[in-house]
Each structure stands twice: as structure tokens, then as C-alpha cells.
Amino acid sequence: MALSSPSLFSAPNNTTHSLPKLPLFRHSISTHHLPITPSTHSLSLSRKWRSNVSFFPSFLKKGKDANTIKEELLQAIAPLDRGADATPEDQQRVDQIARELEAVSPVKEPLKSNLLDGKWELVYTTSQSILQIKRPKLLRSVTNYQAINVDTLRAQNMESWPFFNQVTADLTPLNPRKVAVKFDTFKIGGFIPIKAPGRARGELEITYLDEELRVSRGDKGNLFILKMVDPSYRIYWNLYWHSAAIQSDLKRFEIVLSVHKDKLKLYE
């Protein structure tokens, strides 16, 4: 980026040479022959120390790869019960490590990657509603899963014991990393369907993705860290949705057929 002001190291254009020129002795005096006094020696050590302090942290920071940061992240969240036991300091530390990991994400357009497909286990979140903090611990879901199908742009959230609730959603890409989420059907206990209200929607940005780990951030500022548990789950899910679509078409066909049968009876 060009600077509008002149450089501090350039000489002014109106410099005059009214002073007499003096001979320069640039090479006549060698600094190696100067006596090293305590002050010059301490100054030299100080400069070396400052150089070391400024060099090594940046060197170590540049040397961190994604695997190293992932290990740090997983170690940080391991004792936090998916975030339910996290203090504000814990949340800040996890968020900081997550940002380091996001900076080295190998997949820049996750919505175009088949690594996104499959069943993921939620290992950490800051969402109070998902963690169910207000419930007694015995009434909280033990494990939360999320399945994603990029081809059909569908998502499914699942709770484990004790309630096994589920919810399905449509995904609408906003850019290669972000989707709008519109929940359509809740299943109480995994069986009783309830239509989701119109306000049940949000946005989700996938900020890190590889074959093992996914980091996402919601539109309300919540952080989600998920671990891949079943990459083949997308196959069964494809079959499920295809069979559901076929069953829906068959029902429509039966309705149309019954209507036509009633019309045919009128002409008998």
C-alpha cells in the first residue's frame, strides 16, 4: 500500500550544501579495536537478548500445524463435559485455540467437500440450550449427534438417552462456508413428529473441516466442535430420504387413484 506522506528516511528535496565538505573516514576506524566497556558489553547482550525474545516465539508459532493445534483443542475440552462445566476462562481458552485451528483449515469451501457428509458427534459447544444447563444432569442428553448430507442439503440433529429427540432441517448455502438453517420437523422420542415453528431457523458457518474434526460458528455467537463418528452414515441417510420420497409419491398416487375410481363409479 502506497504511503501519501514522504518516508522518514528520505532527505528533503530542498537540502542545501552550505557547510564545507569534510573528509569521511568510514573505513579508517574499525569497531573491532574499540575497547569493550561494561556499558557497551551490556548493550550488546541486551540487543542479542531482545533479538532472541522476538525471534523464537514467532518461530514456534509458525511451526504449529493443524494436528498439533487439534491435540491442544481436544485436550482443552476433554474435562469440560461438552462445555457444560466450562468456566468463562475455559471458554476463552477453547475459543482462542479454535481460532488458531480455523486459520489453518485445509478445506476452504466445505460445502463443496464430501468430508462434510456423515454423522458427527458434538464434543463441545457454548450453546446453553443444547447443553440443557437448566435441567438436572440426569435429564440431560448424554450425547448429541448431527448428520449432514451435502447432496440433498439436509441436516439432522439427534439426542441420545434419555429422550432420543430429533429434528430435521433444510440447508440453504449463503456462500461456500455458510448455510441458512430452517428446521422443519421435530420428533419427540424419535417417533412423534411435530412441525417446527417458522421461527426455528438460523445460520451456521463451517470454519474448519477435515476428515476427523469440524468447527462451526452460529449466528448467535455459539461455537460448535464436532468429531466424525460415521462417515458412511450418509449412505443410509440417502436411502432413507429416497425411500421417504418414494412413499410420499405412492401416497399421492393412491389419493389420485381413489379420486378417479370414485369418478368411474359415477359412470357405471
Side-chain angles (χ1 to χ4, degrees), residues 37-235:
T37 61
S39 59
T40 58
H41 183 62
S42 59
L43 180 60
S44 176
L45 289 176
S46 175
R47 287 175 179 172
K48 288 182 180 179
W49 180 82
R50 289 180 184 176
S51 176
N52 290 336
V53 168
S54 61
F55 172 75
F56 283 107
S58 61
F59 172 80
L60 293 174
K61 196 172 184 181
K62 289 180 181 178
K64 271 189 181 180
D65 60 1
N67 289 330
T68 302
I69 302 173
K70 276 199 302 185
E71 289 179 8
E72 290 181 9
L73 184 61
L74 293 174
Q75 288 176 3
I77 66 180
L80 301 180
D81 188 19
R82 297 179 301 156
D85 295 338
T87 64
E89 291 76 16
D90 293 327
Q91 290 181 348
Q92 185 177 4
R93 180 167 179 261
V94 171
D95 188 83
Q96 182 180 355
I97 302 174
R99 290 184 185 278
E100 291 181 21
L101 189 61
E102 290 166 338
V104 294
S105 179
V107 180
K108 304 305 178 185
E109 297 183 344
L111 290 177
K112 297 180 180 180
S113 173
N114 58 6
L115 293 177
L116 193 58
D117 284 323
K119 186 177 182 180
W120 299 82
E121 179 186 347
L122 182 70
V123 294
Y124 176 86
T125 185
T126 56
S127 171
Q128 300 296 301
S129 60
I130 293 178
L131 292 172
Q132 304 166 347
I133 299 295
K134 295 182 180 180
R135 293 184 187 179
K137 201 160 188 177
L138 290 175
L139 297 180
R140 300 175 191 172
S141 59
V142 177
T143 313
N144 292 74
Y145 298 100
Q146 183 180 74
I148 293 182
N149 189 312
V150 177
D151 293 334
T152 59
L153 288 174
R154 294 285 293 176
Q156 182 183 27
N157 293 346
M158 299 160 278
E159 294 180 357
S160 65
W161 172 269
F163 298 110
F164 301 99
N165 295 326
Q166 299 180 15
V167 61
T168 52
D170 278 321
L171 306 177
T172 303
L174 301 177
N175 61 45
R177 291 167 31 124
K178 185 185 256 186
V179 293
V181 183
K182 184 180 182 299
F183 296 99
D184 48 34
T185 306
F186 290 94
K187 285 188 178 180
I188 308 301
F191 296 102
I192 306 172
I194 297 177
K195 187 177 180 180
R199 66 178 182 275
R201 60 180 67 209
E203 293 180 1
L204 190 70
E205 184 176 8
I206 302 162
T207 53
Y208 179 88
L209 176 66
D210 64 19
E211 65 277 4
E212 299 173 335
L213 204 70
R214 171 162 62 95
V215 179
S216 302
R217 293 184 183 269
D219 55 335
K220 295 181 180 178
N222 287 315
L223 175 65
F224 305 91
I225 301 173
L226 301 98
K227 180 178 63 176
M228 172 60 75
V229 292
D230 187 3
S232 64
Y233 188 83
R234 62 181 179 270
I235 299 174

Side-chain angles (χ1 to χ4, degrees), residues 16-34:
T16 58
H17 301 280
S18 58
L19 295 176
K21 294 183 179 180
L22 297 175
L24 300 178
F25 300 98
R26 292 179 181 175
H27 305 288
S28 58
I29 300 177
S30 173
T31 55
H32 295 289
H33 300 288
L34 290 176

